[in-house]
Amino acid sequence: MRSKSGGFVSLKVSFLMLLAGLALAGCQTTPSAPQLDAADPTPPKRMITQGPATKIVAQNLTKCANPNPKMNLRVAAVGEITATDGTVITVPAVTALQKGLGPLSHDLYNECNLKTPKNSAEVSSASVPVVEIDADGEVITGYMVGDNYFEMYVNGKLVTVDNTPFTPFNSAIFKFKVKRPYTIAVLGVDWEGHLGQGMELFPVSGPKQNPWHPGDAGMILKLSDGTVTDSSWKAQSFYIGPLNNPEEVVERGHTHDTTPLGRVHPVAKKPPCQEKCYAVHYPIPANWQSPRFNDANWPRAYEYTDTDIGVNNLPAYTRYPELFAGSRWIWSLNLVFDNVVIMRKTVQ
């Protein structure tokens, strides 16, 4: 009896040890979400500027090989402007492109680089390099359009930098290798013709041109693992203008509310202040690209339609509906007046 009992106990113990070992192995191979930094409950200070940038630090970031004079090619300059509190601010934004960081985006469609596939069937991602985040991760292919400029990070690593920051409108393909969960962070910039004022010439041609037109923005992205842009993302604004008065930006916690100005064209109010317009800026967090950054206090992203964005006749996007199916254009609360926006999403 004792030997039978002892054998049974020994078998039971071995079985339990096997289960424990399997559980431990499972825990070791399943990646866990990074521990988040504490969210700062205090909204950042606002900085106010008025008028144009007083110093040009880059004459033009756009490099275009296409000499076609009919192409909508605009100068993507960068300037500096001093806020009322003495802070010197780079406008429209500090970017990886200006710093010479990469990798530069691989073209899906780009008139400047003479890359214009007629449809999705002509698109190939075979030559797109893979940015490695995790050596044992999954290779993910993505497609993106940014109005106007984007740079994208995965788990804090730079994956793609828009090679054409203003116009002509382009779209990009990229690849990265990563394990879930992973965090995407995108800087979006609505470039401007009047540095520091958030305005541009519109339309490009025609008798009724408005040289003081508030531009609009937007970003759309789709990944091969099913990730899409939608309102589940977070989106925070950091540069808002043009404004007749800085008090038009109402801070509700971490939300920068400009709803009364109108959020999309054509209902958005076009301020008459021109070179006397104001802008409101907020400091960009140093670690916004990191998966540890806590965006819990940021507002959600807002979804916009093709009509809102004005892309119904934009071949960089409309030629490839299959590549963006199920994804939505997103931005912060105001598509027109929010010029610099960071969008984040953790993919589980």
Side-chain angles (χ1 to χ4, degrees), residues 178-194:
V178 73
K179 294 190 298 186
R180 293 178 180 241
Y182 63 89
T183 299
I184 307 170
V186 178
L187 171 68
V189 181
D190 180 24
W191 224 270
E192 52 195 3
H194 298 279

Side-chain angles (χ1 to χ4, degrees), residues 80-152:
E80 288 181 349
I81 191 168
T82 303
T84 55
D85 67 354
T87 303
V88 177
I89 301 169
T90 299
V91 287
V94 175
T95 64
L97 182 66
Q98 184 186 350
K99 293 178 180 179
L101 304 177
L104 290 178
S105 57
H106 188 99
D107 294 323
L108 168 59
Y109 179 100
N110 193 335
E111 291 176 76
C112 270
N113 295 333
L114 305 175
K115 181 80 171 182
T116 56
K118 294 179 181 179
N119 51 46
S120 300
E122 291 190 358
V123 174
S124 172
S125 63
S127 62
V128 179
V130 178
V131 177
E132 185 177 289
I133 290 99
D134 298 311
D136 56 344
E138 170 190 0
V139 175
I140 296 172
T141 302
Y143 304 91
M144 179 188 292
V145 186
D147 182 359
N148 298 105
Y149 170 85
F150 62 82
E151 60 188 59
M152 189 186 90

